[in-house]
Amino acid sequence: MSEQALPRTLSVELRLQQPGLDIRAQFRVLPGKVCALVGRTGSGKSAVLKAAAGLMPAKGGRIALGTDAVYDSAARINKPPHERRITWLDGHTHLFPHLNVRANLQYGIKGLGITRRAPDFDKVVSWLDLSSLLNRRPEALTVSQRVKVALGRALISGPNALLLDDPLGEVPTHEQEALLELLAEVPDRFKVPMVLVSPRMNEVIRLADEVVILHEGRMASAGPAAQILSDVSLSTFLEGVHAGSVLEGEVKRHDIDWLLSEVDVSGQRVTVPATLHGVGSKVRLKVRARDITLHRAVPGDTSCSNHLRGRITQIMLAGEHGTYGAVGMELDRALDAADSSQVKAGAPIWALLTRKSIQKMGWAPGQPVVLGFKAMATTVSAWR
């Protein structure tokens, strides 16, 4: 068996027809990167994954791995799923109940072409901590263990791409974090393109390099994860009242006495609850828009640990007589920021205020602003 073929970019351009929904989606995922499809239930996300894997017919378009088409309606190319090797993984795991864990894992090796070589079986088993489970049947496994076996089988098959449709959906909440950390290691370990669909935004924030937002079957927006997830105009497609901004930064300091950590974001320091991520680690911070307050200057008497300087870029009111409005801003970069090449200048962030507050303060685009929020208003996740 020859060496495994080099990883290839997954390119998807699809037209699908579902009852009451005409779906059109287009995206590219590089090897070792993750693209998340985000949108409300029924927007066509899972259908796009199924069509890419060859599990659902498409109305038209093209799917390619590198320059090789596995589906091309114009060229009449439509390879079956086993030839595409665009592997599907969801929360139901689909393990064979009559086979033990070892046999389920080895099933993924069957049919490998001579140009493919599976990842080392023993290394995958060790990485997923499955050695003690190899002789068990699926019914003797926990939900988390079944997900790990399904992930191992998918990876051992040597996939050209990995499609994740809510893979942690059946896992108890308190067990999801450990599995999420394993999923975060997959792109770098196996250099495969990954596409994720998940209703839990913490998984998108943790895993995604790029985000595509689908709304009623059409692409509402697409781009880098932090940019798209922090776009005030897209909040209605994301988390509703929990929508906010995702800030990318680097851990700079830990305060052991107060159990706090400091993160550099656009050259400004953000205080967060103590994190286990080491100094120098790249992290993503989530701050809800409704937890942010705006000021003309840093207030002298406040319980907020964070006061960042920025500039207003836009204001969106919920109608002429609506209750609230969204204020979009960009953070200033501190002039003395060290190692500025490691963080992005002008990180976008937005706040949700009442229309009364916006008008009373006279906020307008172009004005400087100090935005405040508590350390406890932030959630921190690692960032690959």
Side-chain angles (χ1 to χ4, degrees), residues 230-233 294 310-316 326-332 346-351 363-369 371:
S230 301
D231 190 333
V232 57
S233 66
L294 302 188
R311 189 168 298 274
I312 296 175
T313 57
Q314 61 177 320
I315 295 178
M316 299 176 62
V327 180
M329 296 159 285
E330 285 186 354
L331 295 180
D332 293 339
I349 189 168
W350 64 283
W363 294 121
Q367 292 179 343
V369 65
L371 53 105

Side-chain angles (χ1 to χ4, degrees), residues 15-80:
R15 300 190 303 277
L16 308 172
Q17 192 70 52
Q18 295 283 282
L21 191 64
D22 181 34
I23 304 171
R24 302 194 179 200
Q26 181 177 355
F27 55 88
R28 293 174 72 246
V29 192
L30 299 174
K33 298 296 183 181
V34 181
C35 176
L37 305 186
V38 175
R40 296 171 179 168
T41 300
S43 59
K45 305 182 298 295
S46 294
V48 170
L49 294 194
K50 289 179 180 178
L55 304 175
M56 174 185 291
K59 189 176 181 181
R62 189 174 190 269
I63 305 168
L65 293 161
T67 58
D68 300 323
V70 297
Y71 172 77
D72 190 324
S73 57
R76 299 184 180 276
I77 297 172
N78 188 12
K79 293 186 178 181

Side-chain angles (χ1 to χ4, degrees), residues 357-372:
S357 293
I358 294 173
Q359 294 184 355
K360 183 178 179 180
M361 292 292 291
W363 294 121
Q367 292 179 343
V369 65
V370 173
L371 53 105

Side-chain angles (χ1 to χ4, degrees), residues 63-119:
I63 305 168
L65 293 161
T67 58
D68 300 323
V70 297
Y71 172 77
D72 190 324
S73 57
R76 299 184 180 276
I77 297 172
N78 188 12
K79 293 186 178 181
H82 69 276
E83 292 186 16
R84 298 185 187 195
R85 290 201 171 277
I86 299 176
T87 303
W88 171 278
L89 178 65
D90 64 25
H92 300 295
T93 70
H94 306 288
L95 300 180
F96 297 108
H98 63 289
L99 299 179
N100 63 19
V101 168
R102 181 185 296 276
N104 265 286
L105 291 170
Q106 291 175 333
Y107 187 87
I109 303 175
K110 294 182 179 181
L112 282 177
I114 60 172
T115 61
R116 298 288 298 171
R117 185 179 66 186

Side-chain angles (χ1 to χ4, degrees), residues 136-275:
R136 295 190 191 180
R137 294 283 182 91
E139 70 267 17
L141 302 177
T142 67
V143 175
S144 294
Q145 289 169 341
R146 289 198 293 271
V147 170
K148 290 204 288 186
V149 174
L151 175 61
R153 181 175 64 180
L155 294 170
I156 287 171
S157 72
N160 290 316
L162 191 59
L163 310 181
L164 308 177
D165 189 13
D166 195 10
L168 307 185
E170 303 296 322
V171 177
T173 302
H174 68 280
E175 298 179 10
Q176 290 178 358
E177 184 62 29
L179 291 174
L180 185 57
E181 292 305 308
L182 287 175
L183 291 177
E185 294 181 30
V186 170
D188 288 336
R189 278 181 175 267
F190 300 94
K191 302 300 180 186
V192 294
M194 286 173 53
V195 186
L196 170 71
V197 169
S198 173
R200 290 169 295 281
M201 195 56 61
N202 69 301
E203 295 176 16
V204 175
I205 293 172
R206 178 67 179 88
L207 299 177
D209 298 288
E210 303 280 325
V211 168
V212 172
I213 295 182
L214 288 179
H215 178 61
E216 297 181 351
R218 301 301 172 93
M219 291 175 59
S221 190
Q227 174 185 322
I228 298 301
L229 298 178
S230 301
D231 190 333
V232 57
S233 66
L234 301 173
S235 60
T236 184
F237 306 128
L238 298 173
E239 297 179 283
V241 297
H242 298 294
S245 302
V246 176
L247 305 173
E248 296 176 346
E250 180 178 309
V251 178
K252 289 296 185 180
R253 179 176 174 269
H254 297 297
D255 186 335
I256 304 302
D257 293 334
W258 294 106
L259 296 180
L260 298 170
S261 299
E262 292 183 4
V263 177
D264 185 303
V265 176
S266 289
Q268 302 189 60
R269 293 296 177 97
V270 178
T271 300
V272 301
T275 174

